[in-house]
C-alpha cells in the first residue's frame, strides 16, 4: 500500500463553552489587536467574541457575504490598515471564515476561526473568491487558520433547516475525499466517520434543535469532513457548486445539498470500491440516500427553487467543463448537462 498523508497544522479546541478560552488562544499567539469578522446576521455572536477578547478586540467588520466578493474584501482591508490589527477572528459560517481567509491571504496575519455552522472551510487552506461573476479557488498555506475554536453552544441558534444544508455541504467534502486522486487511508477513515456522524445527527437536530448531543455529533462530523477537504483534492461536485454559486449567485450550502446526490451518482460507476464504502454508512443506494436526507432536513432539492433559470443550464454546463480538472469519471458534455438538468428539476439522482 502506497500513499502520502500530509496533516495541516491547525490547533483545534473542541467542546462546550470553549468560547471562554478564546482570550487564552489569542494570548498564546501573541495577538493584541484583533479584527472580528462576521456577517450582518451574526453581529450578536461577534459581540460575544468581543466580550471574550476584552481589550484585544480592536475593531469589528460585520459585512461578510457569501462567495467572498473581492470588493468586500477590499473594504475590509481598509479597516485592517486603519485599526492596525495584528490578527483576525472570524466568527460564523463560510462567508465570515472566507473573508478572514481573504484578509490573511493579503496580509499573512494569524487567524482564529470560530465556526457556528457545519461548513468545514475553517479546516482548509482553500480560498474561493468571486470577481466579475466568476469564482476562483486557490490553495495557500497562508489562509489556513492557526486556531479553530469549536463551541457546540454557538451552533444551537442555527435553524434546523440551515443545519441540514450546512451538514450536507460538509458531507460533500468527505464524499469527494473518498474518490480524490490523492486519497489515502487516513483521510478515508475520517471521511467515513464524518459522513456517519452527520447522517446520524442531522435528523435528530430536525426533531429537537436543542439536542446538544446531536449538535456535538454534527459539529464533530463537520470538523472531520472539513479536514478531508483540506487534505486532498476535490472533483466534479465542488467544481459544479463553485460554478453555479459564483456565476448565478446561488446560496452556498443549499447548492451543495442539491448537487451532491447527482454528482455522486455520476461518479459511482467509476469507483466501485467507494460505492462499497458508502453502502456501509448510507445503505445500498448512497446517492439516493443523500437525496432523501435532503428531503428529511427540509432542504430545497431543485436548483430552480434557489432562483436559477432553466435557460442557464447550458451556460452552467459550458462553464463546468471550461477548465480541465481531474475527476474519477471522464467529463462529458451530455451527461453533465443531464446531471445539471436533474438537479435543476429536483429529480432523484441517476447515473447516465
Amino acid at each position: 500500500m502506497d500513499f502520502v498523508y500530509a496533516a495541516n497544522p491547525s490547533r483545534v479546541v473542541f467542546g462546550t463553552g470553549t468560547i471562554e478560552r478564546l482570550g487564552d488562544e489569542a494570548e498564546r499567539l501573541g495577538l493584541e489587536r484583533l479584527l472580528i469578522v462576521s456577517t450582518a446576521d451574526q453581529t450578536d455572536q461577534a459581540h460575544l467574541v468581543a466580550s471574550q477578547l476584552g481589550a484585544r478586540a480592536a475593531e469589528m467588520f460585520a459585512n461578510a457575504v457569501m462567495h467572498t466578493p473581492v470588493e468586500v474584501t477590499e473594504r475590509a482591508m481598509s479597516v485592517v490598515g486603519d485599526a492596525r490589527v495584528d490578527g483576525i477572528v472570524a466568527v460564523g459560517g463560510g462567508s465570515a471564515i472566507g473573508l478572514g481567509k481573504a484578509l490573511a491571504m493579503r496580509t499573512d496575519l494569524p487567524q482564529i476561526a470560530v465556526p457556528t455552522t457545519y461548513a468545514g472551510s475553517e479546516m482548509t487552506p482553500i480560498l474561493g473568491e468571486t470577481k466579475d461573476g466568476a469564482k476562483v479557488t486557490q490553495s495557500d498555506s497562508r489562509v489556513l487558520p492557526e486556531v479553530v475554536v469549536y463551541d457546540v453552544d454557538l451552533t444551537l441558534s442555527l435553524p434546523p433547516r440551515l443545519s441540514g444544508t450546512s451538514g450536507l455541504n460538509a458531507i460533500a467534502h468527505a464524499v469527494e475525499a473518498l474518490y480524490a486522486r490523492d486519497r489515502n487511508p487516513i483521510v478515508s477513515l475520517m471521511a467515513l466517520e464524518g459522513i456517519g456522524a452527520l447522517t446520524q445527527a442531522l435528523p435528530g437536530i430536525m426533531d429537537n434543535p436543542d439536542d446538544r448531543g446531536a449538535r456535538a455529533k454534527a459539529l464533530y462530523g463537520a470538523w472531520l469532513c472539513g479536514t478531508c477537504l483540506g487534505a486532498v483534492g476535490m472533483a466534479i461536485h465542488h467544481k459544479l457548486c463553485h460554478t453555479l454559486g459564483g456565476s448565478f449567485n446561488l446560496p452556498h450550502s443549499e447548492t451543495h445539498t442539491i448537487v451532491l446526490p447527482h454528482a455522486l451518482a455520476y461518479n459511482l460507476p467509476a469507483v466501485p470500491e467507494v460505492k462499497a464504502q458508502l453502502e456501509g454508512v448510507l445503505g445500498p443506494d448512497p446517492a439516493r440516500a443523500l437525496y432523501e436526507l435532503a428531503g428529511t432536513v427540509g432542504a430545497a432539492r431543485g436548483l430552480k427553487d434557489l432562483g436559477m433559470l432553466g435557460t442557464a443550464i447550458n451556460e452552467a454546463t459550458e462553464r463546468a467543463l471550461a477548465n480541465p480538472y481531474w475527476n474519477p469519471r471522464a467529463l462529458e458534455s451530455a451527461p453533465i448537462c443531464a446531471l445539471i438538468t436533474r438537479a435543476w428539476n429536483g429529480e432523484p439522482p441517476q447515473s447516465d
Side-chain angles (χ1 to χ4, degrees), residues 19 25 52 54 71 73 93 163 181 188 204 210 236 244 287 347:
I19 192 70
E25 293 301 319
Q52 295 295 328
E71 59 268 24
T73 302
S163 298
R181 176 167 48 180
S188 294
D210 295 324
I236 182 63
L244 293 166
E347 298 168 359

Side-chain angles (χ1 to χ4, degrees), residues 3 6 13 39 62 70 98-99 107-108 115 163 178 191 206 215 217 223 253 270 318 335 338:
F3 65 89
V13 180
T39 64
V70 169
L99 178 56
T107 63
D108 205 20
S163 298
L178 288 171
M206 293 301 297
R215 291 287 188 178
K217 182 172 282 190
W223 163 54
S253 64
E318 291 171 3

Side-chain angles (χ1 to χ4, degrees), residues 70-162:
V70 169
E71 59 268 24
V72 174
T73 302
E74 290 171 349
R75 296 205 325 260
M77 280 294 295
S78 297
V79 178
V80 169
D82 293 343
R84 296 177 290 107
V85 302
D86 60 3
I88 302 159
V89 178
V91 55
S95 298
I97 291 168
L99 178 56
K101 288 180 171 185
L103 295 174
M105 170 68 81
R106 290 159 172 78
T107 63
D108 205 20
L109 289 173
Q111 300 173 79
I112 301 174
V114 185
T116 62
T117 72
Y118 308 128
S121 61
E122 65 279 354
M123 292 305 300
T124 79
I126 301 167
L127 170 64
E129 296 183 287
T130 305
K131 184 176 183 180
D132 300 327
K135 192 165 188 177
V136 177
T137 302
Q138 57 186 313
S139 180
D140 192 298
S141 60
R142 288 175 295 176
V143 308
L144 181 72
E146 278 71 11
V147 177
V148 180
V149 177
Y150 288 104
D151 190 334
V152 174
D153 287 345
L154 297 185
T155 66
L156 291 172
S157 61
L158 186 66
R161 184 171 176 177
L162 289 179

